[in-house]
Amino acid sequence: MTIYDKRNISMMMDFYELTMANGYFLQEDMDRKVAFDVFYRKNPDDGGFAVFAGLEQIVEHIEGMHFSEEDVEYLRGLNCFSENFLLYLRNFHFTGDVYAFPEGTIMYPNEPVITVVAPLVEAQIVETEILAQVNHQSLIATKARRIVRSAGNRPVSDFGARRAHNNDAAIYGARAAYIGGVKGTATVSAGQYFNIPVGGTMAHSWVMFYKDELTSFRKFASLYPNNCILLVDTYDVLKSGVPNAITVFKEMKADGITSKNFGIRIDSGDLAYLTRESRKLLDEAGFSDAKIVISNSLDEYTIHSILEQGGCVDSFGVGERLITSKSEPVFGAVYKLCAVEEDGKMDPRIKISETPEKITNPGLKDVYRVYDASGHAVADLLTNRGEEVDMSSAYRFVDPEKPWKNRTFENCHVKKLQEKIIENGKLTHKLPETKEIAYYVKEQIQNEIWEEEQRFENPHKHYLDMSPEYYETKMNMLYDNRA
């Protein structure tokens, strides 16, 4: 079950997608195959990498893309499109191919994480939704990964729905956060759609509704003895909240009620100080196993600071700064033409700019991750599509930033990153479940990605190198007359 079961968002695209598509249609260029690459230019928060997310929703969109009578009638009323083009849209279905990294892959700037190879009109009108999903979910998954890292071995939960930019941002943000490493979400629909563990405690309104704090805690404990996390900052954390929680925990113990999930949550104040003092009170009362959960405008920096100050925290509920990626709310993935069919072959195209980082990598390409003998990823490698990569001996490559240097990979092996996920408009294989994607991210972080790349400050740069053959292809195009 997905959100797409009950609505069609095929019209969610930039208007120029349709005006260009109509133009290609009228000029009879619509059936020529083209290739577009999806890539980004800069890691969020100046980090060492990003986490690729959103692929499942892209596949759902492409497979289900269609235009209803109401859609066509709306477009007709704009007086911009030919009747034959509108008829084409009414019978539209995607027939192209899509190549992509497996969802959850650790990715780096300027490498094609998705490549769409399709008839021109089809490739054009899927652009907006592809970018919307990649830009949003990859941003949140990457932010989640940073926050989870700052928390160490302590679990992090997504508490962000009410601060998300809309319903979809909350639901897909929860999915992306789970892929990035959070343990669960408070967003119920995300749990339903993507089988993410859901959980929560109570709001201040629960405490305020009853005549006093102790009564509210007793009521909650009687209903949810196995999930008894009491919000203790409604009135005064140390003078009433924690003491009242301790009273309830003693009553539960006297009644023979044992729970593995009980404790307190603090949502305001000096969290480092309050958690230290609360831990003392709980331990002195004999409840060293009571958990302390904190929330309130947390991110990787505040979490690091609280723990550095000796804060006693067992888990974190992170909301607005995760679900909106407040520190850097734009991911910046782009969709650029890289090849056009000419005489039955895919002819490379390149975009040239006065800004060097905006010069694109032309043509159909393969992307390889290069691993050293210990299994750590040392670089990524771009080659022409189908080019042989032999790592059985020293492999010469080109560093595009320092092409004059003689570089080789030695004692290394490679893994091709892109795989065909849609062929002739049909999914080629079952996509992984969200929990499998989250595990894949964790596995890469633990086993493949250098600690130096995971630093928050001045992370090591992961290089995107080129085969000599591919580098020559790009350089020749830069000096070609078409440039």
Side-chain angles (χ1 to χ4, degrees), residues 26 58 60 85 94 149 158 171 257 271 320 343 348 368 379 391 396 406 432 467:
L26 293 175
I58 290 168
E60 290 172 353
F85 177 67
F94 185 84
R149 178 175 174 79
D158 156 49
I171 296 167
I257 299 172
L271 295 174
E320 61 190 44
D343 300 322
Y368 292 90
M391 292 276 174
R396 187 171 77 85
N406 188 26
S467 70

Side-chain angles (χ1 to χ4, degrees), residues 65-134:
M65 196 170 185
H66 66 279
F67 297 88
S68 67
E69 291 289 356
E70 292 79 6
D71 296 334
V72 171
E73 190 59 32
Y74 168 76
L75 295 175
R76 181 178 287 115
L78 299 178
N79 298 316
C80 291
F81 306 106
S82 72
E83 280 300 317
N84 285 338
F85 177 67
L86 294 174
L87 178 61
Y88 163 80
L89 290 181
R90 188 65 188 91
N91 297 290
F92 178 87
H93 64 278
F94 185 84
T95 64
D97 301 335
V98 178
Y99 301 80
F101 288 11
E103 189 166 9
T105 298
I106 302 303
M107 61 180 179
Y108 302 94
N110 299 310
E111 56 188 10
V113 295
I114 300 175
T115 299
V116 176
V117 182
L120 180 54
V121 169
E122 296 178 27
Q124 192 70 70
I125 65 176
V126 297
E127 174 181 1
T128 304
E129 176 66 8
I130 288 176
L131 289 179
Q133 291 294 347
V134 170

Side-chain angles (χ1 to χ4, degrees), residues 3 32 118 161 204 227 245 259 354 423:
I3 297 173
R32 287 178 65 188
H204 294 105
N227 185 32
S259 173
E354 292 296 322
E423 183 173 19

Side-chain angles (χ1 to χ4, degrees), residues 241-300:
V242 177
N244 282 330
I246 289 171
T247 296
V248 171
F249 298 154
K250 287 180 176 178
E251 291 171 353
M252 293 171 66
K253 187 175 182 180
D255 290 338
I257 299 172
T258 58
S259 173
K260 293 183 179 180
N261 189 37
F262 76 104
I264 63 171
R265 177 164 74 97
I266 307 173
D267 188 51
S268 61
D270 185 332
L271 295 174
Y273 169 75
L274 290 173
T275 56
R276 290 197 307 267
E277 296 303 308
S278 296
R279 184 76 273 162
K280 291 177 185 176
L281 293 173
L282 290 166
D283 290 353
E284 289 168 359
F287 296 106
S288 59
D289 53 345
K291 297 177 181 177
I292 298 178
V293 181
I294 65 170
S295 48
N296 186 34
S297 298
L298 300 176
D299 60 17
E300 65 268 42

Side-chain angles (χ1 to χ4, degrees), residues 400-418:
E401 296 181 9
K402 300 175 182 178
W404 59 88
K405 290 197 171 185
N406 188 26
R407 304 277 199 180
T408 58
F409 293 123
E410 298 185 39
N411 300 316
C412 291
H413 62 281
V414 296
K415 177 177 72 176
K416 187 181 289 188
L417 293 182
Q418 275 197 356

Side-chain angles (χ1 to χ4, degrees), residues 43 72 150 221 254 277 312 320 335 352 382 412 414 449 451 470:
N43 290 320
V72 171
S150 72
E277 296 303 308
C312 299
E320 61 190 44
Y335 188 82
I352 299 176
L382 288 183
C412 291
V414 296
I449 307 304
E451 281 288 322
Y470 181 74

